[in-house]
Amino acid sequence: MISVFEMFKVGLGPSSSHTVGPMKAAAAFAEGLASRGVLERVAAIETTLYGSLAFTGRGHAVDKAVILGLSGEKPASVEPDQADVIVAEVRHSKALRLAGRRSVGFDPERDLLFDTLTPPKRHPNTLRFLARDAGGSVLMEESWCSIGGGFILREDDPDGGAGAQAHGDIHPFSSADELLARGKETGLSIAALMRANEAAARPPAEVEGHVERVLEVMFDCIERGLSMDGPLPGGLKVQRRAKAIYGRLRSGGTANDPAAHEIMDLVSVYAMAVNEENAAGGRVVTAPTNGAAGVIPAVLRYYRDHRREATAEGLRLFLFTAAAIGGLFKMNASISGAEVGCQGEVGVACAMAAAGLAAALGGSNEQIENAAEIGMEHNLGLTCDPVGGLVQIPCIERNAFGALKAIAAASLALHGDGSHRVSLDNVITTMRQTGADMQSKYKETSLGGLAVNFVDC
């Protein structure tokens, strides 16, 4: 099982695979230098980016992430404003505090290389770190893969890319069929199964505390996004829209009895608010990725603010259920846009949100599985072709549509009895195969689709 701690991680925008993962890998390399006792001998650090990290790295802030990670910063704890200060100082001084402990010369223009020619050996998102002493001898060299959703692994790790820790689950499952079987055997809901498995690894209070923290960051992110305006960074001059649209909706809406389309407009704005914050490098939750970070918060707020039956416990059931579904995609396919396109990001987020909402609204395990299946079935083949290598066009609006699809999928599933012809496992297999067949130019390289057909006049 992949834990709720692993599926929902607090981090910085704009990308979990290009920002959160590389920052964690760089920090791990810096800590490795210290643990091997060679930190004091390091005179130079070189980082090479391959594959999607090289093609869209600048737009996705990989350079910023590497600088922060080598400086000892972590995605969950670094403050967004302070992160910009740290990076600006490194660029100005051409030196960084390696692992936060000692100053080492580092010129991003010279020591951070974007290699778009050498094919990565294992994963499209690969980084190589190299530390040398004053005489030029190699002290340590490591290659890391950022495999989506902020998960990382060493290139030579036999883990195979699962990225999950061993939890000693008392209700193990590795497929949707097994998950449903565990539910029938125990009489437990999917959320209860997840809670029991989490409790086998950590104190329940720690687990519940993490879930509450995730909810807090998600809702705070919506509020920040609804309060900000102006252009997003990166050169496309994309203007934030969530604040203005939200203001018009609130001033012109019939608050006591809003029409259905008004509520759907609000859901869209909630999702856009999160992804505008993500594009600006703000604090978001990988859910399951940063590029898809707006879908689940938007549907959660729909449940909290627009459903009369909403409860605090329902919010928690939503997240535990969504984590279980996200884990199935992570274990059996991918949540990396560089591997399978945006079907692995917004598509998976849609399936997770649909399942979570169905659970919060009292759905059976079978209805929940059906909701997840519907959510992904209608995102199959979704490409990842960000304009300018930025997580802005079409990513921001795509999250809005992902949230709307999730609500529709949950509603359709709850109108049924849980029986359906195509299983969630079938769809996950299809999604993996579709991603394998998809041309690389549609998998987060900005070499095809909108990225090349959009002309900025």
Side-chain angles (χ1 to χ4, degrees), residues 265-284:
D265 287 345
L266 285 169
V267 172
S268 295
V269 170
Y270 300 152
M272 290 171 63
V274 172
N275 282 85
E276 288 176 355
E277 275 296 295
N278 179 61
R283 173 153 289 145
V284 300

Side-chain angles (χ1 to χ4, degrees), residues 409-426:
S411 180
L412 284 173
L414 291 173
H415 279 299
D417 61 4
S419 60
H420 52 109
R421 299 295 298 275
V422 178
S423 72
L424 178 57
D425 287 330
N426 292 153

Side-chain angles (χ1 to χ4, degrees), residues 239-442:
Q239 295 289 324
R240 290 182 184 247
R241 292 179 289 162
K243 177 182 177 181
I245 297 173
Y246 183 68
R248 288 194 292 271
L249 290 171
R250 299 308 295 170
S251 64
T254 53
N256 291 332
D257 188 21
H261 73 86
E262 292 174 345
I263 294 176
M264 293 300 99
D265 287 345
L266 285 169
V267 172
S268 295
V269 170
Y270 300 152
M272 290 171 63
V274 172
N275 282 85
E276 288 176 355
E277 275 296 295
N278 179 61
R283 173 153 289 145
V284 300
V285 175
T286 59
T289 68
N290 283 27
V295 176
I296 288 175
V299 180
L300 278 165
R301 181 148 170 178
Y302 162 78
Y303 169 75
R304 188 193 73 178
D305 291 4
H306 303 288
R307 299 293 304 221
R308 292 184 178 88
E309 61 269 67
T311 64
E313 175 62 9
L315 294 173
R316 293 187 283 269
L317 294 177
F318 187 122
L319 283 187
F320 280 111
T321 304
I325 299 302
L328 294 176
F329 282 97
K330 180 71 180 67
M331 288 186 287
N332 298 303
S334 175
I335 57 172
S336 168
E339 276 194 301
V340 295
C342 198
Q343 59 175 354
E345 298 202 33
V346 168
V348 173
C350 178
M352 292 170 66
L357 180 60
L361 294 176
S364 66
N365 287 351
E366 289 74 19
Q367 289 172 316
I368 292 166
E369 184 260 358
N370 189 16
E373 180 273 323
I374 295 170
M376 174 49 76
E377 183 177 339
H378 302 290
N379 280 289
L380 289 172
L382 195 61
T383 59
C384 181
D385 48 356
V387 174
L390 298 167
V391 192
Q392 297 177 19
I393 303 173
C395 318
I396 294 170
E397 289 180 353
R398 185 168 287 175
N399 274 260
F401 283 94
L404 297 178
K405 281 186 178 181
I407 294 170
S411 180
L412 284 173
L414 291 173
H415 279 299
D417 61 4
S419 60
H420 52 109
R421 299 295 298 275
V422 178
S423 72
L424 178 57
D425 287 330
N426 292 153
V427 169
I428 292 174
T429 297
T430 303
M431 178 257 211
R432 185 184 69 244
Q433 293 170 345
T434 303
D437 291 340
M438 190 181 292
Q439 294 185 42
S440 62
K441 66 182 180 180
Y442 298 117

Side-chain angles (χ1 to χ4, degrees), residues 17-18 50 52-53 123-127 144-148 336 338 444:
S17 60
H18 288 55
Y50 301 97
S52 177
L53 295 182
H123 191 277
N125 297 327
T126 298
L127 315 84
W144 288 80
C145 300
S146 179
I147 58 176
S336 168
E444 209 166 1

